[in-house]
Structures are given as structure tokens and as C-alpha cells.
Amino acid sequence: MEQRHLGRTGLRVSRIGLGTLTWGRDTDEHDAAEQLKVFWEAGGTLVDTADVYGGGEAEYLLGRLVEGLVPRRDLVIATKAGSVADPYRRVNGSRGHLLAALDASLNRLGTDYVDLWQLHAFDPATPLEETLQAVDLAVSSGRARYAGVSGFCGWQLAKAATWQLTGPGTRTRLASTQMEYSLLQRGVEREVLPAALDLGVGLLPSSPLGRGVLTGKYRTGTPADSRGASELLAPFVEPYLDDAASRVVDAVATAAEGLATTALQVALAWVRDRPGVAAPIVGARNAQQLTEALSVEALSLPYEICQALDDVSAPVHRYPDQDWSTL
């Protein structure tokens, strides 16, 4: 698999990443092991997790599989900290919490460092300088090799990345930002992506298949084994089942038919090759589903198809975004 630099850093990652959101919850150890082996054998390196996935079980499961199944040196392990299971404070970006969370992640992962440590969300209750000091301490201590953010809007990303470039002392350049990005969700193109491109931050798209909708599985109904049929995850899928999304899904299916490939591969290839994208993060239910996603490596979409998909999925821009650059 092709490797790409993550932002303006020396870290190289596979241009498709493996997500572990369901590990330890819906994905058991057997299925997780099969996925990791398939991913590694395809040349994949970037494995993305978080301290809250499965209540910590995703990290623990990944740690059990590394070395016994895949050499640690062959993986770029990315995890996150900052989200907390507290109804009164969903995000804790304090230095004390973040550094304690990193130590707990390292313990569960069974490693003395993570390749990429990400702030899971912006904490408005903590001074950003304090949050970023935790990042610098994590990297300077060797517990994290690189750092990034997740769920930061445009101004938050710009502020954080600029502080790391211009703030006092020795600071750690932000390598990445993780945000949802797909043909059904192009909101990052308004401010997040321009900021990332300008500041040399690589984008790691989450939900690159539109929460599964872009695969076409919901075109004729809701499959019984899908997220849309799950009581827990149905609200996650439902926003992408409207008429506007259906038009995009139909266009993806038409493109796939013309290219003799699958809708999944067309949708994934589109987001993978967008400017500023380093590696879409793909979550799979099983190894067979992951294998289909990884086969996108051989696919490059023709310009005409990319343009058609751009047009049918174009987001609506209103003030102050619309035509602002021509004023």
C-alpha cells in the first residue's frame, strides 16, 4: 500500500487507516485479529483507536494482538485522549487528565510509546495553552512520537496549530486532524481543510463511507445486520438516509457500475485522493468487508467521474462562505 507523509512531518502512514471504534464491543478478539492480519498483509500501517473506545477494551485488545500477530515496528499506532464519560463534562483537556490518560493508554496497549497521540476534542473549559503543554510533555518524554487533534473546528485547529508553530519554547508541530469527511459530509471543506492545508496538518477522514450509507446497502431498505438496524447506532445513520443523500448514493452506484467496481471502492477512492487527505480511517465489521475496502488501492477515479461526484455532492455554501473570496 502506498505510504504518505502525515502533514508536514516525517511520519509516513498507509493511505488507508484501520479504525477500531467497535473493537471490544461489537468486534471480538477473533474478528479483530483477522482484520489486523489482513490489514498488515496488505501493507497497512496506521491503526487508529482511542482510550474511550469500548471503555478501553479497544486499546487493550490491540495491545494483546501486537507482537503476537503483527510486529510493533510495522504499525503506526494512533490513540486519543480527552473524551470522558461524564454527563456534566464530556471533554477534559486539562494537563493532569491528559497525561494520566496517556499513561493508562500505554498500559493497555502494552507499549512504551504511541506513534500518534491525538486530542479527542476541544475543551472550552481549559486554556488551550495548558492542553497543548500536555502534548509537548508527552512528546518530549518519548511517550508519544507525534501529535494531532480530532474534532476541532476551523478556528480551533488554526489556533492550536499556530500556537504550536509560533508559541514560546520548544513546541510540537501538529501532524494531523481527524474529522468526518465523505461524499455525504463535506463540511470540513469550508474551514477545517483550508486551515489544515495552510498549516501543514494532514487530514484523517473518519466515516469516509458516509456511516456505511455510501456502500449502497440502504438503497432498498435497512439490512437486519447493519448499523441502521441497531437501536444504539440507528440515530448515527439516520441523518444520511434523506433524499439528498440518496441522489449521491445513486451517483456513486452509477459510477461503480461504469467502472466495474463497487460503490464502496468509488466512495473511498474519492475521499482518499482529495487534497490534504492523508489517510481515511475505515472501520469494518469483519475481515471480508475490510478486504474489499483495501482493494481500493488499485483504483484511481477518472477526472470526469470525480467531477460528476463533486457536483452531485456539492455542499450548500451561504454567508459568509459564499463568494467571500471574490469580494
Side-chain angles (χ1 to χ4, degrees):
M1 189 182 302
E2 180 182 323
Q3 306 289 304
R4 292 174 171 173
H5 283 279
L6 187 57
R8 212 168 292 158
T9 73
L11 178 62
R12 287 166 60 83
V13 298
S14 54
R15 63 177 181 168
I16 296 293
L18 175 62
T20 64
L21 174 64
T22 63
W23 285 24
R25 188 187 68 196
D26 303 321
T27 304
D28 62 21
E29 183 169 355
H30 172 75
D31 286 335
E34 284 195 336
Q35 287 185 31
L36 186 60
K37 186 175 181 181
V38 164
F39 183 66
W40 174 62
E41 289 176 345
T45 61
L46 176 62
V47 182
D48 180 74
T49 189
D51 61 351
V52 293
Y53 289 176
E57 286 300 311
E59 286 184 331
Y60 179 68
L61 186 50
L62 178 58
R64 289 183 60 181
L65 296 176
V66 172
E67 292 301 350
L69 187 66
V70 176
R72 170 68 179 89
R73 65 179 180 275
D74 288 355
L75 296 180
V76 175
I77 295 179
T79 194
K80 311 177 194 73
S83 289
V84 291
D86 185 337
Y88 301 102
R89 185 179 186 180
R90 296 177 57 194
V91 182
N92 188 340
S94 67
R95 181 174 58 246
H97 171 79
L98 290 173
L99 294 176
L102 175 57
D103 289 338
S105 287
L106 294 176
N107 183 60
R108 285 189 292 268
L109 288 164
T111 182
D112 55 4
Y113 72 95
V114 291
D115 299 279
L116 178 66
W117 190 47
Q118 304 159 95
L119 303 173
H120 209 158
F122 183 85
D123 179 9
T126 301
L128 183 59
E129 299 92 307
E130 178 183 336
T131 296
L132 294 173
Q133 186 181 45
V135 169
D136 296 329
L137 287 169
V139 174
S140 64
S141 68
R143 287 175 284 177
R145 299 289 172 84
Y146 294 86
V149 297
S150 172
F152 277 40
C153 71
W155 74 262
Q156 293 164 351
L157 171 63
K159 184 176 181 179
T162 300
W163 176 263
Q164 291 304 95
L165 291 172
T166 63
T170 302
R171 313 204 66 82
T172 302
R173 171 188 282 274
L174 293 183
S176 63
T177 180
Q178 188 170 152
M179 292 287 284
E180 184 171 354
Y181 188 27
S182 73
L183 279 161
L184 295 182
Q185 180 50 271
R186 295 175 60 181
V188 297
E189 295 176 1
R190 304 179 79 160
E191 291 190 348
V192 174
L193 192 50
L197 285 166
D198 185 68
L199 293 161
V201 177
L203 180 64
L204 299 174
S206 59
S207 296
L209 298 174
R211 307 182 184 186
V213 175
L214 287 166
T215 64
K217 69 172 69 175
Y218 298 99
R219 293 182 79 193
T220 58
T222 301
D225 61 347
S226 68
R227 288 180 175 181
S230 163
E231 183 177 350
L232 177 65
L233 295 174
F236 180 68
V237 176
E238 193 273 335
Y240 292 168
L241 298 178
D242 60 11
D243 291 341
S246 294
R247 288 192 290 272
V248 177
V249 172
D250 288 345
V252 171
T254 299
E257 184 178 352
L259 293 171
T261 185
T262 66
L264 181 155
Q265 291 172 341
V266 168
L268 190 55
W270 180 89
V271 71
R272 180 199 64 194
D273 295 334
R274 298 295 285 180
V277 168
I281 306 299
V282 175
R285 191 167 62 251
N286 51 50
Q288 181 180 357
Q289 196 177 69
L290 179 61
T291 298
E292 181 184 355
L294 296 176
S295 64
V296 75
E297 182 68 16
L299 177 64
S300 294
L301 298 180
Y303 171 80
E304 294 79 8
I305 287 181
C306 285
Q307 193 61 55
L309 293 175
D310 288 356
D311 292 344
V312 75
S313 65
V316 176
H317 289 293
R318 297 188 175 92
Y319 178 87
D321 305 283
Q322 185 179 28
D323 298 329
W324 71 270
S325 60
T326 62
L327 296 178

